Amino acid sequence: MPCLVDRFLPGIGEAAVQVLRRCGHAVTFDARQTCCGQPAYNAGHVDEAAALARRFLDIFDGAEAVVAPSGSCVSMVTGHYGELPLSDDEMRRWSALRSRVFELSQFLDLHGDLDRLDVRWDGRVGLHHSCHFLRELDGAVPALRRVLARVRGLELIDLPDATTCCGFGGTFSAKLPDVSLSMGRDKLAAIDAAGVDAVALADAGCLLQLQGIQRAAGRAGPRILHYVQLLTGAGERP
Amino acid sequence: MTRPTHDPVDQMNAAVHDGDLRAALDRALGLTRRKRADALEELPDLPKYRKIAADIKRHTLDNLKYYITRLEAALQGGGVRVHWAADAAEAVATVQGISRAAGARTVVLAKSMLAEEIGLEPGLAAAGLDVLQTDLGERVIQLAGDRPSHVTAPCLHMSAGEIGRVFERTLGLPWTDDPEALSRAAAGDLRGGFLRADLGITGVNLAVADSGTLCIVENEGNVRMVTTLPRVVVSLMGIEKVVPDMPSALHLLDLLGRNATGQRWPGYVTWMSPEWPATGPRPERHVVFVDNGRTRIHGSGPYRSLLWCIRCGACMNACPVYGRVGGHAYGHTYPGPIGAALAPLLSPGPDTARLPAASTLCGECGDVCPVKIPLPAHLVRLRGDAPARGGFGRPGRAERLAFRLWRWFMSGGRRYRVSLWLHRTAERLVPRLVSRIAGRLGWHHGRARPLPAPQSFRARWPRLDAPPEKGDA
């Protein structure tokens, strides 16, 4: 479970569990898990990131499949772990594990019994392509589209500049806050102009960035949701 | 550590509020992005095109010594004099020496980012030469006393109206913002300079190793003048510009114009073989191979692919950060994602130390790069690699401490739960303190900080886990 979800957005985690179970899978959560190390890696603290990568390997080595509702955590584990200063043995364990680590939508698309999803969400939804989900995971966007196509009543809208970053970028949001905010505001303006009921994205970071700007502006725009909230109907309009 | 005189991160946080700059960037970049997309759509198999381009660059840079030696021999065989310059000072001194020996007084300069990198224009002016930039954009920059803000469009940050004011002030042209009138005025002003010039200086886009042919790309025809009118012609090239043969050069050229300006082919492509021109008087020709940090990057291994860059500017045109702060905020010859990675290696120091932070790692730059330089990967690596940058760019003590603390809290299930509890409790008891800390971390006005949920996912898990889901049946 992404640490941002655990801490700030547990509803996304609950929705992920619910959807996986409904699509025919048994789900467990190992409470020893913390963070995959991505924040440290992206900020250039490789030793700290490597420590958490080792921890991740220890905890998840035995799992049949590891599934997370996050493009960036999954790309960290399946891709960037390979660039960390890990021992040969750890690298071998990583190579064995990485093919069993999935982003939730990829996993549902490949192994989920989507006929059992049976969910309805009436409204127009714009898809914001979270950067790592879009660029670092092969075939994730088409997989997500196929999964969302199973939601009755949901109309997917292509947003303008859908592939442009929301401006979060981890420590970027703190180091270049003015630039980060400008990117987020532009993203929200494009969303507002698109006339959608909600925006679905694939990473908690984008979600916190866009919701944070909406909240500070004190006005309700289209709802910013994680896509998994559409799969349970949890993100229903108020 | 020395304090930076120009901290790029501070500059960027300020530049993003400049509305005029943003308008100029939106106008120019919006158009370039559309044209680029159209020009690339025509290619039958873009991924393959890019892969071939990357393969050419990888192969050449992995065998740089072989190809640069071949190029040198081909040039010398045709009577072109070759000079090697280890750094900027040596490169400028070499050109000064050539101009002194030739008794030159007026120098015409074609657009060259390398000339900008080594500070050639001020260097020649200091030697008493009359130096004229002949590329329209560069001429505007020269007259304005400004610096280029983009590798292919030097005055991208200026509106036509601003250029009109520069020309009004320096050329006495009545103010206008009509681009055609402005370029006519600049061309008229340059004409005398071309006829007067005894020394012409160009950059090099591609240098063909097996024949010694240099390729220079432009859109105004000024390179033709710079290479044909003066008695002496000097071409400056970074050693990474060499390619094995003509087919490689043509392949890269096909991608260069499309990626830079959305042109199928640049307006003018000048090819200068060592034997050129076949008839008529031949100018005295010199080529200066400039290193200026390139062999260091080449030898460093992980950063070698930064030398594949063909300076098309597509990464900066695509970058959402560049598109909001412009080129000047980077404070280096090379802005945008390629600059954020290259500058700290070419010019290690306090002014380039924080450049690799100037990216959300969104990956657009890597997506558009025609030679597939993994720019986000370079930026991440550089953030943690102070040694490769002459010791600069080490994260500050507070940040190092914060990540060490963070690691401690993340290295055990119980510690992690304590961190959740501390966070929640702090938000409940001293929200204003948390707000101040979050503000110091950049989450302030305009963006509400996220609040920890009353119950974390792990606190909810036992309840989720207990009754097996019934809806399955």
Side-chain angles (χ1 to χ4, degrees), chain B residues 197-212:
Chain B
D198 356 66
L199 182 68
I201 300 176
T202 75
V204 171
N205 290 95
L206 299 152
V208 183
D210 63 0
S211 64

Side-chain angles (χ1 to χ4, degrees), chain A residues 1-14 17-18 21-25 27-49 51-52 54-55 83 116 131-132 134-136 163-165 167-187 205 208-209 211-217, chain B residues 8-10 12-14 16-17 22 33 318 320-321 324-325 354 357-365 367 376-377 379-385 395-396 399-401 403-404 406-407 409-414 416-417 419-421 423-424 440-461 463-469 471-473:
Chain A
M1 195 54 63
C3 57
L4 289 183
V5 168
D6 187 17
R7 181 173 301 245
F8 297 114
L9 305 156
I12 292 173
E14 286 185 318
V17 172
Q18 194 185 329
R21 284 184 177 155
R22 195 178 294 172
C23 292
H25 293 276
V27 184
T28 62
F29 172 82
D30 189 322
R32 290 175 300 162
Q33 66 180 279
T34 57
C35 169
C36 67
Q38 185 191 178
Y41 174 74
N42 283 353
H45 302 268
V46 280
D47 292 337
E48 281 75 9
L52 291 180
R54 284 185 202 103
R55 192 177 163 79
E83 288 145 42
R116 291 161 64 168
C131 294
H132 295 176
L134 169 72
R135 298 195 175 86
E136 296 188 357
T163 58
T164 305
C165 180
F168 174 65
T171 50
F172 176 87
S173 67
K175 288 181 179 171
L176 289 96
D178 300 58
V179 184
S180 172
L181 191 59
S182 164
M183 290 171 69
R185 282 184 174 150
D186 289 349
K187 175 58 65 185
L208 294 175
Q209 159 90 342
Q211 280 185 349
I213 297 171
Q214 266 188 346
R215 242 172 55 216
Chain B
V9 167
D10 293 344
M12 288 176 188
N13 279 321
V16 75
H17 300 292
R22 179 67 193 274
R33 285 174 194 160
V321 176
R324 282 175 176 73
V325 304
R354 295 217 286 165
S359 164
T360 64
L361 306 177
C362 75
E364 287 222 44
C365 48
D367 266 13
L379 291 170
V380 172
R381 183 183 286 272
L382 281 163
R383 289 176 184 182
D385 191 358
E399 185 182 317
R400 289 205 307 278
L401 190 68
F403 270 101
R404 231 172 282 156
W406 173 83
R407 169 185 172 173
F409 274 117
M410 294 293 146
S411 294
R414 183 174 306 197
Y416 178 90
R417 280 200 305 282
S419 85
L420 289 176
W421 180 84
H423 189 176
R424 224 171 25 243
R440 287 286 291 275
L441 288 172
W443 281 67
H444 41 61
H445 57 86
R447 187 167 48 179
R449 69 180 183 281
L451 299 172
Q455 239 193 343
S456 65
F457 175 82
R458 69 189 53 220
R460 297 181 189 192
W461 173 251
R463 191 167 40 79
L464 286 173
D465 199 26
E469 184 93 354
D472 273 8

